[in-house]
Amino acid sequence: MLREFIALSLYYFLFFALIGDYVIFMPKMYSVYFTPAQIGILFSMLPIARFLTPFLFFKLTINKKIFLSALTFSIFASFLLINKNFYLISFAFFLIGACFSVIFPYIETIAVEKLKENYGRARVYGSLGFMLFGIIFSYFKINFIYIFIILMICTNITALYFLEDKYVKKENRPINFFIAWKFWFALILMQISFGGFYNFFTIYNLNHNIPKEINGWLWAIGVIAEILIFLIQHKFIKKYPPLFWIKISIFLTSIRWLMLYLFAGNIILIALSQLLHAFSFAIFHTSAMLYLFGIYKNKTLAQQFYAGIGYGFAAFLGSVISGILYGENLYLYESLIAMAGFLIML
């Protein structure tokens, strides 16, 4: 148990440091060579691949060969990012997304199976990795593509720990979405509502006279809330079934976006709204994983679709829709979208 906890914690730390590089620094690196429209296409490749890949596993099973192939091809694809060819980089991001759709849900399944309600105590290292990478490397002027490659290699070496026979399971049962259709529908609406936050939170605050430096702290408050709840959620989350926490989290997410709409420019109240990230992400994510783990036999495929639908398909839609809706009423619309997900769960 201790060995698994250490291996999982290290994997999460490295993987989300890698994601931090991808989200925070790499778009800026490529902006030197490509237009904003091309940047948008490049960084849509990974979530699209995460959405499409799980459909292959209606017939396939993740085994040692597939898992090792995903580790190998993701490293190969990361080296392709060094070139300046738009189509080759697009292919590389798509291939990385497909590999992540195999590797990450598989390890998430192991984490839930081994740690149960203590999952958050390992997952918190991912939040720490993301936050520390963003803070520390913001002071360095380096080529973040090379850092991405190094982190990919280190992350995948850590993932090799889970290549042992005792972790590789023969699961080939299909997924029936209808037995939990309300959850899947609510998940899509929940993640669509995040589009306005990820794409426009900083811009929205700047337009309401909140200084750039304060915006950095507002982002940090959300991550800190996420970290703290991951550390303590094992003490209370098992007192109620996962669906209870899923409903509460979606409802509070709707309230969070409503606060951004009603109190635009109010630093204190926006900071308070950021504390709700503890529910919007941490509690929701853990509860969703526990819920899927309990109702589906093919647990790995369930996690693949959770990541693909929620953080692939819905994230892509959320990004597009938030661009269409952007304006003074953006977060009112996002609040209504999240509230629709809550009402469906009822």
Side-chain angles (χ1 to χ4, degrees):
M1 178 73 169
L2 180 60
R3 287 179 62 199
E4 278 86 358
F5 178 82
I6 293 172
L8 287 164
S9 299
L10 179 59
Y11 176 83
Y12 283 131
F13 184 89
L14 292 170
F15 180 81
F16 283 98
L18 176 75
I19 297 300
D21 190 358
Y22 171 81
V23 171
I24 301 171
F25 299 110
M26 290 186 71
K28 178 64 175 175
M29 295 292 299
Y30 286 118
S31 67
V32 177
Y33 310 112
F34 304 116
T35 66
Q38 288 176 315
I39 296 293
I41 294 171
L42 284 179
F43 286 86
S44 71
M45 290 294 103
L46 196 149
I48 290 172
R50 290 185 72 182
F51 169 64
L52 294 175
T53 304
F55 289 99
L56 297 175
F57 289 88
F58 275 123
K59 298 294 183 181
L60 295 174
T61 300
I62 295 179
N63 52 35
K64 270 188 173 183
K65 185 178 180 180
I66 292 175
F67 189 71
L68 187 58
S69 296
L71 295 175
T72 304
F73 281 118
S74 59
I75 293 174
F76 165 75
S78 67
F79 277 97
L80 294 179
L81 298 174
I82 297 172
N83 81 92
K84 300 174 185 177
N85 183 287
F86 173 77
Y87 298 102
L88 199 54
I89 296 171
S90 297
F91 169 74
F93 276 135
F94 188 90
L95 184 55
I96 289 170
C99 293
F100 280 179
S101 187
V102 172
I103 302 164
F104 189 70
Y106 181 75
I107 291 179
E108 287 273 78
T109 304
I110 294 169
V112 175
E113 181 178 7
K114 298 296 180 182
L115 304 179
K116 299 294 191 298
E117 291 81 7
N118 287 307
Y119 162 82
R121 298 174 72 180
R123 177 58 179 77
V124 71
Y125 287 95
S127 303
L128 285 170
F130 184 93
M131 184 175 70
L132 290 176
F133 186 89
I135 293 172
I136 294 170
F137 280 86
S138 64
Y139 293 98
F140 293 89
K141 292 184 178 180
I142 54 180
N143 190 321
F144 285 96
I145 298 172
Y146 292 122
I147 298 298
F148 186 88
I149 294 170
I150 293 169
L151 284 171
M152 181 72 80
I153 294 170
C154 293
T155 302
N156 287 3
I157 289 173
T158 305
L160 286 173
Y161 176 85
F162 302 101
L163 198 62
E164 299 176 32
D165 287 328
K166 62 181 178 180
Y167 298 117
V168 180
K169 297 181 179 179
K170 300 293 187 288
E171 294 180 332
N172 55 8
R173 301 178 183 88
I175 291 289
N176 183 350
F177 291 106
F178 290 104
I179 65 173
W181 71 268
K182 290 184 178 181
F183 168 79
W184 293 110
F185 201 178
L187 170 66
I188 292 171
L189 292 171
M190 172 76 157
Q191 296 308 316
I192 285 175
S193 80
F194 265 90
F197 175 69
Y198 288 129
N199 287 4
F200 295 106
F201 180 65
T202 298
I203 297 172
Y204 183 81
N205 288 336
L206 289 172
N207 289 342
H208 288 89
N209 302 314
I210 295 179
K212 181 180 67 174
E213 296 77 13
I214 299 297
N215 270 288
W217 283 104
L218 289 174
W219 279 98
I221 287 170
V223 178
I224 292 168
E226 171 189 319
I227 290 171
L228 291 176
I229 208 71
F230 269 136
L231 287 173
I232 65 171
Q233 65 180 4
H234 65 283
K235 296 181 179 179
F236 63 84
I237 200 168
K238 58 186 175 183
K239 292 183 179 180
Y240 296 96
L243 278 178
F244 170 82
W245 295 113
I246 290 170
K247 292 173 187 176
I248 291 293
S249 298
I250 298 175
F251 176 78
L252 290 178
T253 300
S254 177
I255 299 300
R256 179 185 179 184
W257 306 147
L258 186 62
M259 289 177 70
L260 291 181
Y261 168 71
L262 293 175
F263 306 111
N266 188 316
I267 295 172
I268 294 175
L269 289 174
I270 291 177
L272 289 175
S273 77
Q274 281 294 85
L275 292 176
L276 293 177
H277 194 66
F279 284 88
S280 297
F281 178 71
I283 295 294
F284 178 85
H285 181 65
T286 302
S287 301
M289 291 181 61
L290 290 170
Y291 174 65
L292 294 174
F293 190 86
I295 65 171
Y296 286 115
K297 298 290 187 182
N298 194 335
K299 303 180 188 308
T300 302
L301 186 57
Q303 297 300 335
Q304 284 182 279
F305 273 109
Y306 169 66
I309 291 174
Y311 302 104
F313 175 68
F316 173 75
L317 285 181
S319 181
V320 173
I321 291 171
S322 67
I324 296 171
L325 297 178
Y326 181 72
E328 285 299 309
N329 295 327
L330 172 65
Y331 291 106
L332 174 61
Y333 298 137
E334 302 290 31
S335 176
L336 293 174
I337 291 170
M339 183 58 71
F342 171 72
L343 294 176
I344 286 171
M345 290 300 293
L346 290 180

